[in-house]
Amino acid sequence: MTSLMLNEDETMLRDSARGFLDDAAPVKMLRTNRDSGRAYDPGFWKEMAQMGWTGVLVPEEAGGSDMGHRAAGILAEEMGVTLAASPFISSAVMAATALRGAASDRLSGIADGSAIYAIAVDEGTKHGPEKTALQAERSGNAFRLSGRKTFVADGGSAGRVLVLARTAGAPGEAAGLTLFDLDADRAGLSRSARKTVDSRDHAQLDFDGVEATGDDIVGELDNGMAVLGLALRAGQAALSAELTGLSAGAFAMTAGYLKERKQFDRIIGSFQALQHRAAHMWSEIEVTASAIANAGRVLDESPDESQLAVSVAKARATQTAKLVVSEGVQMHGGIGMTDEFDMGFFMKRARVGAEWLGDYGYHAAKVAAARGF
């Protein structure tokens, strides 16, 4: 039976991450990043790399710690508590998982933080890798990529991009897709920043005859989902963990307010109706945390059978975050709606996290399919 309890190394990782993030990346850093026009603090990313976080899924021989997906989830969850912005999920989780599956020699760059990746998959308003239409047409011994990718997280700042392109078949088919590892400055590739409510780095990538060779292929031709599928599940699990940490951070802020705010000469936390609502939030966070832990364990122990566990985690994390941030804003009253108060940042990140890598409906359908419905 899979254990959901943290082992000694994971407990130490959580405790060290919590202490570091409280000091180095409090919620106010997000406001600083937003007001200065940057997606994240490069100095903070460098510190993360020095602590070994960027190599959590990289083999030791490539400079990583190889602690596994449960450990990556612990880090993502703690980042969610303080809304710490970084390309951790895109680069250290998804790109590392994909390149590891293809035995790439670029893993060492991910481990030391020098190589930052974005994952260019979706082309529409919703997550759907099989819907890829971006064409990679053969041109002699090379390929020319033409098309557009939307909602590419960390797409504006990444130095490299893993691009899913169609080399055979038609949109809607999983077969015929190939994953390419490209330099973000390659000729014909243009990037346009896209503002999102969470003040993170998202971009639209346009490909106009971008040349790629066989050496740029990650995994096998026409079978890119073999390596990308696991990478996406790893990213979905880490994002679920971040959303659960976000829920915990928003709940702590709300609970603190309930203990301090007075109305009619009484602490509002003494009102039974608010107590019931707070208890409901806490219970949902705890149940979701168990789903997050399970997803990480299953990814480590049975990666090919992880879709159900990951989709349960993402669906639950999405709904829990929505509940907690909505209740948080309401319980704070008028100040909860103002930009000067940090609660709104939690709501905005929860909204973007709900859509990235598959919304509730996408993952609920995955769970239903796995259950035979």
Side-chain angles (χ1 to χ4, degrees), residues 186-197:
R186 190 161 297 191
L189 172 55
S190 59
R191 300 186 280 182
S192 306
R194 289 292 180 265
K195 290 186 177 181
T196 51
V197 294

Side-chain angles (χ1 to χ4, degrees), residues 28-29 36 38 59 62 76 111 138 143 149 192 203 206 213 220 234 254 292 294 313 339 342 353:
K28 65 181 181 181
M29 180 183 282
S36 64
R38 68 187 183 190
R138 284 189 177 276
F143 299 85
K149 293 292 184 180
S192 306
D206 288 288
T213 68
E220 301 176 356
T254 301
I292 301 305
N294 182 62
D339 183 71
D342 290 339

Side-chain angles (χ1 to χ4, degrees), residues 229-291:
L230 178 58
L232 290 175
R233 294 195 297 277
Q236 289 157 353
L239 178 58
S240 302
E242 183 195 332
L243 288 172
T244 302
L246 177 155
S247 298
F251 175 74
M253 184 177 292
T254 301
Y257 185 74
L258 294 179
K259 295 174 183 177
E260 296 174 357
R261 171 68 169 146
K262 284 187 176 182
Q263 194 172 63
F264 307 116
D265 296 323
R266 290 180 60 185
I267 298 295
I268 62 173
S270 66
F271 300 148
Q272 191 176 58
L274 295 183
Q275 291 176 358
H276 287 170
R277 290 165 68 179
H280 180 212
M281 287 190 284
W282 182 87
S283 299
E284 290 299 308
I285 292 171
E286 288 298 301
V287 173
T288 300
S290 296

Side-chain angles (χ1 to χ4, degrees), residues 6-327:
L6 299 182
N7 60 37
E8 185 176 350
D9 289 341
E10 292 166 346
T11 299
M12 291 176 61
L13 179 67
R14 181 199 61 192
D15 293 344
S16 65
R18 186 167 298 172
F20 169 70
L21 290 166
D22 284 343
D23 291 335
V27 178
K28 65 181 181 181
M29 180 183 282
L30 177 59
R31 185 184 300 276
T32 300
N33 290 337
R34 183 199 65 177
D35 293 346
S36 64
R38 68 187 183 190
Y40 62 91
D41 181 0
F44 172 61
W45 177 250
K46 185 177 181 179
E47 288 185 89
M48 289 174 60
Q50 291 172 344
M51 295 181 69
W53 294 7
T54 52
V56 68
L57 293 176
V58 176
E60 293 182 5
E61 57 268 25
S65 61
D66 200 15
M67 287 191 70
H69 294 281
R70 180 68 185 105
I74 291 169
L75 293 174
E77 185 171 348
E78 293 302 324
M79 290 180 212
V81 173
T82 64
L83 300 178
S86 78
F88 177 76
I89 294 178
S90 296
S91 194
V93 175
M94 289 195 286
T97 301
L99 296 180
R100 179 172 184 164
S104 172
D105 58 4
R106 292 201 173 98
L107 283 167
S108 59
I110 292 179
D112 65 23
S114 61
I116 298 177
Y117 275 83
I119 312 296
V121 175
D122 293 319
E123 301 175 12
T125 57
K126 294 293 183 180
H127 182 60
E130 296 82 5
K131 298 177 182 178
T132 293
L134 188 147
Q135 288 291 323
E137 297 182 354
R138 284 189 177 276
S139 178
N141 294 324
F143 299 85
R144 290 195 176 277
L145 279 62
S146 298
R148 172 176 292 175
K149 293 292 184 180
T150 60
F151 198 41
V152 180
D154 305 299
S157 57
R160 301 196 66 83
V161 185
L162 291 181
V163 184
L164 188 64
R166 185 159 294 283
T167 46
E173 299 176 358
L177 294 174
T178 302
L179 189 64
F180 293 89
D181 183 351
L182 304 178
D183 188 312
D185 293 326
R186 190 161 297 191
L189 172 55
S190 59
R191 300 186 280 182
S192 306
R194 289 292 180 265
K195 290 186 177 181
T196 51
V197 294
D198 64 345
S199 303
R200 304 290 182 97
D201 174 13
H202 293 88
Q204 173 182 297
L205 273 57
D206 288 288
F207 298 77
D208 185 9
V210 176
E211 185 171 319
T213 68
D215 292 337
D216 296 320
I217 294 176
V218 178
E220 301 176 356
L221 179 69
D222 295 339
N223 194 28
M225 290 304 295
V227 291
L228 184 61
L230 178 58
L232 290 175
R233 294 195 297 277
Q236 289 157 353
L239 178 58
S240 302
E242 183 195 332
L243 288 172
T244 302
L246 177 155
S247 298
F251 175 74
M253 184 177 292
T254 301
Y257 185 74
L258 294 179
K259 295 174 183 177
E260 296 174 357
R261 171 68 169 146
K262 284 187 176 182
Q263 194 172 63
F264 307 116
D265 296 323
R266 290 180 60 185
I267 298 295
I268 62 173
S270 66
F271 300 148
Q272 191 176 58
L274 295 183
Q275 291 176 358
H276 287 170
R277 290 165 68 179
H280 180 212
M281 287 190 284
W282 182 87
S283 299
E284 290 299 308
I285 292 171
E286 288 298 301
V287 173
T288 300
S290 296
I292 301 305
N294 182 62
R297 291 285 187 240
V298 174
L299 278 166
D300 285 330
E301 298 169 7
S302 306
D304 293 336
E305 302 171 3
S306 59
Q307 185 65 69
L308 175 60
V310 169
S311 286
V312 167
K314 181 59 163 67
R316 276 211 61 92
T318 296
Q319 291 297 85
T320 299
K322 179 181 179 180
L323 167 71
V324 174
V325 298
S326 297
E327 288 283 75

